[in-house]
Amino acid sequence: MKLMLGLLLLPLTLVHASPATPEPCELDQDEESVRCYCNFSDPQPNWSSAFLCAGAEDVEFYGGGRSLEYLLKRVDTEANLGQYTDIIRSLPLKRLTVRSARVPTQILFGTLRVLGYSGLRELTLENLEVTGTALSPLLDATGPDLNTLSLRNVSWATTDTWLAELQQWLKPGLKVLSIAQAHSLNFSCKQVGVFPALATLDLSDNPELGEKGLISALCPHKFPTLQVLALRNAGMETTSGVCSALAAARVPLQALDLSHNSLRDTAGTPSCDWPSQLNSLNLSFTGLEHVPKGLPAKLSVLDLSYNRLDRKPRPEELPEVGSLSLTGNPFLHSESQSEAYNSGVVIATALSPGSAGLSGTLALLLGHRLFV
Ligand SMILES: *[C@@H]1O[C@H](CO)[C@@H](O)[C@H](O)[C@H]1NC(C)=O
Ligand SMILES: *[C@@H]1O[C@H](CO)[C@@H](O)[C@H](O)[C@H]1NC(C)=O
Ligand SMILES: *[C@@H]1O[C@H](CO)[C@@H](O)[C@H](O)[C@H]1NC(C)=O
Ligand SMILES: *[C@@H]1O[C@H](CO)[C@@H](O)[C@H](O)[C@H]1NC(C)=O
Ligand SMILES: *[C@@H]1O[C@H](CO)[C@@H](O)[C@H](O)[C@H]1NC(C)=O
């Protein structure tokens, strides 16, 4: 029994909650669910306190940078779970966050295997160093049926195969994958399997990625249902370069977020076919002085806000667009008021009180439609 609970909580359980520590769990009043935060930065493990902590829908474990390697000798990560699967099934756990620890791959994957019997839907791993090499999953081994997996600053000893290996421990229904501050996104694509349900991929906050890196990260044909790609602050330089990477990856994208990159113009680069479903493009906070050439011919939403456009774009420079945001560009300061083009293009200006609300609502609508 102890061994099994230990297995479940392993990477997490390093615990000794001193009597002075505040209650780890509280009732979340809005959602009527229980949230537990367990700080395991103290040296002595306390299994029972860890188990208490896992008895909630929302659980966060903080490892204080500890190494879990010593646990390898104590635990059989391939043990038959037998009757304990029922205990795991009865856990209310829905969302789990694990922060700040050094975790052997075997323990991470052993935990995913155990969580395969739980109802876990969202897993966040942050500031983890994953050490050692991986085992192949046992035949019966499928991990949790996640909706959302978020990784931030997770390093892997298996530099270019980590995604392929991690993927083998997840059931195939994953819809949202975020990987920020990645140490390697240069995947060996042969090994990566198809993500059959993935709708949103967020590779924001990878300033070293660049367009070359994007090509190796977006393994061709592995994301057949991808609708939303976020690349905020991801070292992108030109819209045409991003377009080529998307063309190579063959993703049926609907929304692309390139905000917070330093984009430059690419006059004279060969034209490129954008994904035919693409209807929303975010180019805000990209330092653009002109509307880049070679944008999709038609878009529902184009966000060009907070750039350096010093004159109003001419209609022929713009795609045919349902909602255009130009808020926060210098040319607006020299103009008295916003105007609507007779083509029906709406110009939102910093001066118009409705504009922020309008684009916010659009973002919400779009998000709602695309993320569900
Ligand atoms: C975790 O607990 C330690 C003391 O045991 C404390 O110093 C630290 O600030 C706590 N960390 C977090 C993130 O709460
Ligand atoms: C471990 O945690 C449990 C539950 O919080 C507590 O009752 C017990 O006293 C702790 N054990 C030790 C050795 O501190
Ligand atoms: C990233 O995680 C490592 C631990 O794996 C930590 O030492 C480092 O401070 C983290 N970096 C940032 C920027 O949080
Ligand atoms: C990515 O990996 C390939 C081999 O798999 C290698 O040739 C290439 O240099 C790597 N690129 C980067 C940026 O590390
Ligand atoms: C575009 O990106 C910016 C910054 O990331 C964000 O504030 C804005 O809401 C986005 N626009 C749309 C239409 O989603």
Side-chain angles (χ1 to χ4, degrees):
M1 173 75 177
K2 261 216 165 99
L3 174 74
M4 290 308 157
L5 296 181
L7 245 183
L8 170 64
L9 301 163
L10 258 190
L12 328 167
T13 359
L14 297 188
V15 184
H16 170 82
S18 74
T21 12
E23 277 300 312
C25 301
E26 59 187 30
L27 193 63
D28 180 329
Q29 301 206 322
D30 292 337
E31 301 197 13
E32 295 178 354
S33 63
V34 181
R35 245 192 105 79
C36 296
Y37 173 77
C38 290
N39 181 341
F40 294 149
S41 49
D42 265 32
Q44 297 299 313
N46 181 338
W47 301 107
S48 43
S49 144
F51 191 54
L52 260 184
C53 205
E57 277 183 35
D58 248 303
V59 176
E60 176 169 344
F61 290 97
Y62 172 75
R66 301 178 47 79
S67 170
L68 304 185
E69 264 153 3
Y70 75 100
L71 289 170
L72 268 181
K73 291 192 212 84
R74 308 209 332 213
V75 173
D76 175 6
T77 52
E78 295 178 41
N80 184 350
L81 297 173
Q83 57 183 305
Y84 301 110
T85 57
D86 285 341
I87 299 178
I88 300 160
R89 277 197 188 97
S90 69
L91 290 173
L93 190 62
K94 288 276 181 293
R95 287 169 290 275
L96 174 63
T97 300
V98 181
R99 286 204 167 89
S100 189
R102 187 159 191 240
V103 190
T105 320
Q106 274 163 281
I107 289 191
L108 178 65
F109 291 170
T111 305
L112 288 176
R113 172 175 164 243
V114 175
L115 288 171
Y117 297 97
S118 76
L120 187 69
R121 299 294 285 150
E122 294 182 26
L123 177 63
T124 301
L125 305 176
E126 194 174 310
N127 297 343
L128 295 190
E129 182 186 349
V130 183
T131 61
T133 51
L135 327 162
S136 324
L138 303 175
L139 278 181
D140 74 328
T142 39
D145 187 11
L146 295 181
N147 180 78
T148 303
L149 174 63
S150 306
L151 309 175
R152 177 174 287 273
N153 184 24
V154 179
S155 66
W156 304 81
T158 52
T159 46
D160 55 358
T161 54
W162 68 264
L163 182 64
E165 284 159 12
L166 176 61
Q167 180 182 31
Q168 295 181 347
W169 294 95
L170 301 177
K171 292 196 179 77
L174 190 69
K175 293 203 176 50
V176 180
L177 174 62
S178 312
I179 310 170
Q181 294 173 30
H183 294 241
S184 170
L185 290 170
N186 189 16
F187 300 129
S188 41
C189 287
K190 260 188 223 139
Q191 277 144 294
V192 174
V194 172
F195 285 91
L198 197 75
T200 300
L201 179 62
D202 189 340
L203 298 177
S204 300
D205 291 330
N206 289 295
E208 309 285 303
L209 185 62
E211 287 136 34
K212 280 222 179 82
L214 180 61
I215 292 176
S216 20
L218 280 183
C219 293
H221 306 291
K222 300 299 164 75
F223 304 101
T225 56
L226 195 65
Q227 294 174 10
V228 179
L229 177 63
L231 294 168
R232 287 181 298 276
N233 182 28
M236 298 299 137
E237 294 180 349
T238 65
T239 48
S240 57
V242 175
C243 180
S244 308
L246 297 180
R250 319 241 155 138
V251 282
L253 220 56
Q254 296 178 18
L256 174 63
D257 186 352
L258 291 176
S259 62
H260 295 284
N261 288 284
S262 280
L263 297 180
R264 54 186 167 74
D265 284 344
T266 51
T269 46
S271 68
C272 158
D273 291 329
W274 291 91
S276 60
Q277 310 292 309
L278 189 69
N279 62 38
S280 171
L281 181 57
N282 195 336
L283 297 175
S284 72
F285 298 98
T286 53
L288 286 170
E289 292 173 7
H290 311 283
V291 179
K293 295 211 168 45
L295 295 184
K298 195 173 173 193
L299 288 170
S300 308
V301 178
L302 175 60
D303 192 339
L304 282 166
S305 59
Y306 300 99
N307 279 302
R308 298 198 197 129
L309 307 182
D310 51 14
R311 63 170 173 75
K312 184 165 39 174
R314 288 188 285 269
E316 68 270 19
E317 294 171 312
L318 290 166
E320 185 187 322
V321 61
S323 163
L324 173 68
S325 177
L326 291 168
T327 311
N329 278 286
F331 79 88
L332 290 168
H333 302 312
S334 53
E335 279 183 17
S336 54
Q337 265 302 336
S338 66
E339 287 172 34
Y341 283 122
N342 49 18
S343 66
V345 170
V346 177
I347 310 276
T349 77
L351 302 171
S352 142
S355 63
L358 175 69
S359 58
T361 310
L362 276 169
L364 272 180
L365 283 173
L366 192 68
H368 190 68
R369 187 156 61 77
L370 296 179
F371 280 80
V372 168

